[in-house]
Amino acid sequence: MIDNGTLVLFGAKGNLARVKLIPGLFHLDDCGQLPRKMKIFSVGRQEMSHEAWVAEIKDMLDKKFKGNYDQATFERFIKRNIYHCNLPDDPDAFKKMAVKLNNEEEFTDNLAFFLSVRPSDFALIVDQLADEGLLTEKNGSFRRVLIEKPFGTNYESAVELQKSIEKHLREDQIYRIDHYLGKSALQNILITRFANSIFEPVWNNQFIDHIQITNHETLGVGDRTTFYDATGALRDMIQSHLLQMLALTTMEAPKSFSPGDIRDAKINLLESIQPIPMNDFDHHAFRAQYSSGKIEGETVKGYLDELEDQNSVTETYAAIKLFINNQRWRGIPIYLRTAKRLHEGGTYISIKFKDNNPILENAGSNWMVMSIQPKETTHFEIQTKIPGLNDFDFRVSNLEANNRVAGDESIDAYETLMLDLMAGNQSRFLHINEVKAQWKLVDPIIETWMKDKTQPVQYIAGSSDPVESKIIFENESQFWRKSIHG
Ligand code: BG6
């Protein structure tokens, strides 16, 4: 990795930067992972002296690490940090920024721009950076732009944003984020599948009955009501995070583990998912909203009361069924579901194997669950004989492969992705064709739900999946797993 790049952080005073990015960069510095001469050029919309910025960083770190961090690292970290005010109403703001960044005594030519700003500002900022020549690579240096999610709010707006930024940037300079790809447990899906020869022979429609991809949270929408009501669970979680999990679980083996080959394998998979049949919509997509209930003993408000709008039909629970149109997966339902305010929080992929044992007909099922969070583990359920005289009494035994053990390095998803950005590794970022394929799948569902103003099914906060969601199952033997253990 080039050790002297500059990370230019737009939105440095925003929530993501305060909670994740700046403390994350500090953590990387503390564990010796940050490139030696890397600088952090933070851009905000308010004027602020260097001293005031240092005090803000200190405040962020105090909150994150409860005051418990190394002073020498702090001194080193502060030396890397520069604050720059980009006044919103100053027509010369980007010119002034360029003058600073072009100062060769302070900064090298390697610049990576992280746009942690309102989505409506992405194209505008890229245009202005380009106008000042800040996106032009010279003498082997790099210029990269990282775009926070969401990349568009539907297919059309994603294509429009792409058209606008590709005037100035090549695909290999654009880093579209989906922070789930930075989670080590997601990378583990590829290792599980391709570093263990026992799985490949059974990873297909001959042996697998169905797959469930789950993300549940106990949290509600909090203070993001305006954003959330315009977004909904499907767009917020399924459009990228869950579809990426699906792609990693079901894609063909990449030609190699190079970023290009991994992304090609995902693109092929995402493009081979069948669109939801509109003439059988209700058996493929289900939505619901949480009503008031209890989470960890505390009474919480329902979604509509939080929103103070009883007419909203925005879903806080979404479940869809997809089919992949290729030889490996044809006919196998893949269920994706996500919810706020469910009985427990957890992200996991559950694989149910077919019950087709010709000799022991009443043998139970085999499940394999790859858990992403909170626990990083792979859980298997196998049938074993109950010890004793009866030859054919069995029960389920659990095998647990903990993917994280005490002492393992803990690098947050955003930390990983910032390092990838500086190193020029795009494998954990989305290619434009992935983004397009994802929007193509979810757009018709969102449009149908937006038009339908009948009140969605209500589920009590703290409960598990609403029973009505079963409508999307292919047959009566299928059911939602409520946790990684069953
Ligand atoms: C974000 C969504 O992309 O992911 C949030 O906007 C959601 O609504 C979050 O809570 C979940 O991320 P994680 O890493 O906590 O699972």
Side-chain angles (χ1 to χ4, degrees):
M1 185 188 310
I2 292 175
D3 78 346
N4 61 9
T6 299
L7 178 68
V8 182
L9 182 53
F10 279 82
K13 286 170 68 68
N15 199 45
L16 182 70
R18 305 184 71 83
V19 177
K20 292 264 180 196
L21 306 181
I22 292 184
L25 288 162
F26 177 84
H27 177 235
L28 288 172
D29 202 356
D30 194 38
C31 45
Q33 296 283 358
L34 223 49
R36 215 167 40 94
K37 294 188 194 154
M38 178 180 152
K39 296 212 166 160
I40 303 161
F41 187 92
S42 292
V43 183
R45 294 153 72 94
Q46 289 111 318
E47 297 212 59
M48 182 174 268
S49 67
H50 178 68
E51 291 68 34
W53 182 236
V54 172
E56 277 222 20
I57 295 180
K58 189 169 174 324
D59 184 53
M60 295 176 206
L61 301 182
D62 284 343
K63 286 206 174 94
K64 180 82 178 191
F65 304 108
K66 317 252 178 318
N68 194 6
Y69 52 86
D70 181 57
Q71 203 48 38
T73 312
F74 179 73
E75 304 295 331
R76 183 172 71 228
F77 186 67
I78 289 304
K79 284 202 190 113
R80 298 174 182 273
N81 273 274
I82 301 101
Y83 179 80
H84 174 77
C85 166
N86 218 26
L87 281 178
D89 50 4
D90 178 358
D92 291 330
F94 282 78
K95 254 189 193 54
K96 292 177 186 160
M97 182 190 304
V99 170
K100 274 202 196 168
L101 287 170
N102 288 333
N103 175 353
E104 285 172 14
E105 279 171 27
E106 279 264 5
F107 303 102
T108 66
D109 275 339
N110 297 312
L111 302 178
F113 298 91
F114 189 137
L115 309 191
S116 173
V117 295
R118 283 184 308 211
S120 52
D121 286 346
F122 293 151
L124 227 63
I125 293 181
V126 171
D127 277 346
Q128 295 181 83
L129 291 174
D131 287 350
E132 296 311 323
L134 285 168
L135 300 180
T136 313
E137 294 180 337
K138 35 193 169 185
N139 313 322
S141 66
F142 68 72
R143 299 290 158 114
R144 300 176 187 139
V145 177
L146 181 151
I147 311 243
E148 247 304 324
K149 77 155 218 177
F151 195 92
T153 50
N154 56 16
Y155 180 83
E156 216 183 321
S157 56
V159 169
E160 204 175 300
L161 173 57
Q162 173 63 16
K163 271 199 191 134
S164 172
I165 63 176
E166 74 186 10
K167 286 188 293 199
H168 312 298
L169 295 163
R170 301 181 310 271
E171 180 63 26
D172 64 277
Q173 292 177 286
I174 307 171
Y175 289 66
R176 301 175 195 82
I177 217 166
D178 174 333
H179 78 279
Y180 267 51
L181 290 178
K183 294 182 192 275
S184 160
L186 242 73
Q187 298 301 305
N188 186 51
I189 300 173
L190 295 186
I191 301 302
T192 303
R193 290 191 56 200
F194 300 120
N196 297 294
S197 56
I198 55 173
F199 295 121
E200 175 58 22
V202 295
W203 217 253
N204 54 51
N205 52 8
Q206 220 188 317
F207 289 92
I208 290 176
D209 178 76
H210 73 274
I211 299 178
Q212 297 180 14
I213 301 191
T214 303
N215 167 272
H216 285 157
E217 295 177 62
T218 52
L219 294 173
V221 296
D223 52 13
R224 297 161 81 213
T225 42
T226 311
F227 159 81
Y228 198 87
D229 203 52
T231 306
L234 183 69
R235 228 189 299 233
D236 190 37
M237 292 300 299
I238 294 185
Q239 185 270 339
S240 193
H241 303 329
L242 269 64
L243 282 173
Q244 282 294 314
M245 286 198 263
L246 183 156
L248 293 169
T249 306
T250 55
M251 70 191 210
E252 295 300 312
K255 282 196 210 111
S256 77
F257 276 86
S258 72
D261 287 342
I262 293 179
R263 298 206 304 181
D264 280 352
K266 283 196 287 161
I267 294 167
N268 280 338
L269 187 283
L270 289 165
E271 289 181 346
S272 59
I273 300 175
Q274 284 176 341
I276 284 207
M278 297 317 274
N279 57 1
D280 195 23
F281 185 83
D282 289 347
H283 289 115
H284 289 76
F286 172 84
R287 67 174 167 177
Q289 280 174 339
Y290 61 83
S291 57
S292 172
K294 283 202 166 162
I295 297 280
E296 284 156 19
E298 298 276 316
T299 302
V300 296
K301 279 188 179 176
Y303 177 67
L304 296 177
D305 291 335
E306 283 180 314
L307 197 63
E308 294 175 358
D309 172 4
Q310 298 301 316
N311 297 320
S312 168
V313 292
T314 300
E315 74 288 355
T316 60
Y317 178 107
I320 62 171
K321 173 172 62 187
L322 296 174
F323 289 92
I324 298 169
N325 195 8
N326 67 18
Q327 207 178 344
R328 185 188 286 270
W329 296 113
R330 196 159 294 124
I332 298 303
I334 308 202
Y335 302 105
L336 295 91
R337 65 179 162 153
T338 183
K340 300 273 185 208
R341 291 270 190 245
L342 231 65
H343 61 292
E344 66 167 33
T347 306
Y348 48 94
I349 297 151
S350 315
I351 294 161
K352 160 89 166 39
F353 290 90
K354 284 188 172 159
D355 301 334
N356 51 4
N357 187 325
I359 310 172
L360 296 172
E361 271 173 19
N362 56 347
S365 308
N366 293 130
W367 285 86
M368 170 176 172
V369 183
M370 294 186 273
S371 171
I372 309 298
Q373 57 189 24
K375 228 181 145 192
E376 293 176 44
T377 187
T378 311
H379 166 92
F380 297 89
E381 287 173 13
I382 60 165
Q383 306 299 314
T384 55
K385 180 182 174 301
I386 301 174
L389 295 178
N390 200 339
D391 279 352
F392 295 110
D393 272 357
F394 2 79
R395 64 185 168 200
V396 175
S397 291
N398 297 324
L399 301 176
E400 201 82 28
N402 284 323
N403 306 336
R404 176 173 291 283
V405 294
D408 280 348
E409 194 171 59
S410 181
I411 303 273
D412 172 78
Y414 275 100
E415 296 172 19
T416 304
L417 295 173
M418 286 190 287
L419 283 184
D420 283 347
L421 171 69
M422 299 315 288
N425 176 1
Q426 287 187 303
S427 61
R428 287 182 271 236
F429 289 88
L430 305 175
H431 188 277
I432 184 61
N433 292 342
E434 292 176 80
V435 176
K436 283 186 184 169
Q438 291 172 178
W439 281 124
K440 265 194 189 159
L441 285 170
V442 300
D443 271 1
I445 310 175
I446 297 169
E447 281 161 25
T448 309
W449 281 348
M450 267 169 41
K451 277 191 220 129
D452 180 359
K453 299 292 178 203
T454 38
Q455 200 192 36
V457 165
Q458 305 284 302
Y459 60 99
I460 298 172
S463 62
S464 50
D465 301 77
V467 281
E468 295 88 340
S469 63
K470 287 187 191 161
I471 188 169
I472 68 170
F473 285 132
E474 279 291 280
N475 60 58
E476 291 198 346
S477 72
Q478 295 175 345
F479 59 92
W480 294 122
R481 280 182 78 91
K482 290 203 173 81
S483 78
I484 59 172
H485 294 113

